[in-house]
């Protein structure tokens, strides 16, 4: 079977895309900075390569376009966003502390990636691949909250204010909207919002 140059390049690029080497991470870090600072439309391959201090040929060895590097970045940020809610250790048995820890970690992750999350949410309406990623993340977050609220309810120590799924969706949406609104706020205001969100979450779930 004869393989054309473009086919060979695409195969090589696919292999690099599935890897997590330092050069690929450098390109993704540069892309994160550029998209976050300039937005989607003003960010170009030239801008990303200049920020990463690499040639366009190096960029195209890993990504075929601006759209592809953004999709890869969206996948990375969404994964980090989900990982921020993962709790291990003794606190796992203290459900109130789990709520506080995961709420704090989730909102801090939004502060760190808020600009990119805004772009992901916007691009999700225009790019089917990004849209699938974003819907999957949101539903996994809601699903985690639902199972967590049901676990709390099963203890018999709380009186839920609403159905677990309604509580879960309310908390996920409130955290995202509130955190994005405060991206440029003073640090103390950001921290105060986290404390307020924790208190509201405890009240909504029914902790006494």
């Amino acid at each position: 079977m004869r393989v054309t140059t473009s086919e060979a390049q695409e195969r090589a690029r696919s292999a690099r895309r599935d890897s997590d080497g330092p050069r690929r991470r450098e390109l993704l870090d540069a892309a994160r900075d550029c998209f976050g600072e300039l937005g989607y439309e003003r960010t170009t391959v030239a801008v990303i390569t200049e920020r990463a201090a690499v040639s366009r040929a190096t960029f195209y060895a890993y990504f075929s376009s601006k759209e592809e590097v953004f999709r890869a970045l969206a996948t990375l940020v969404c994964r980090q966003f989900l990982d921020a809610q993962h709790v291990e250790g003794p606190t796992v048995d203290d459900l109130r502390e789990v709520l506080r820890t995961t709420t704090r970690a989730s909102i801090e992750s939004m502060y760190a990636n808020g600009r990119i999350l805004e772009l992901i949410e916007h691009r999700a309406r225009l790019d089917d691949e990004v849209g699938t990623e974003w819907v999957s993340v949101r539903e996994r977050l809601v699903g985690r909250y639902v199972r967590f609220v049901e676990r709390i309810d099963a203890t018999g120590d709380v009186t839920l204010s609403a159905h677990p799924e309604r509580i879960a969706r309310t908390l996920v949406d409130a955290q995202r909207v509130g955190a994005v609104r405060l991206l440029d706020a003073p640090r103390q205001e950001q921290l105060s919002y986290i404390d307020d969100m924790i208190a509201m979450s405890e009240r909504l779930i029914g902790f006494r």
Side-chain angles (χ1 to χ4, degrees), residues 16 35 41 45 47 70 96-97 104 135 147:
R16 296 187 190 95
F35 283 119
E41 298 302 329
V45 171
V47 168
F70 184 82
R96 192 166 197 158
E97 188 57 34
R104 188 174 301 280
V135 169
R147 291 189 294 275

Side-chain angles (χ1 to χ4, degrees), residues 177-188:
V177 172
V180 169
R181 179 176 56 81
L182 294 173
L183 288 179
D184 296 320
R187 181 59 178 162
Q188 189 54 51

Side-chain angles (χ1 to χ4, degrees), residues 30-46:
R32 183 200 298 263
D33 291 341
C34 294
F35 283 119
E37 293 171 13
L38 303 175
Y40 187 84
E41 298 302 329
R42 292 173 59 199
T43 296
T44 64
V45 171

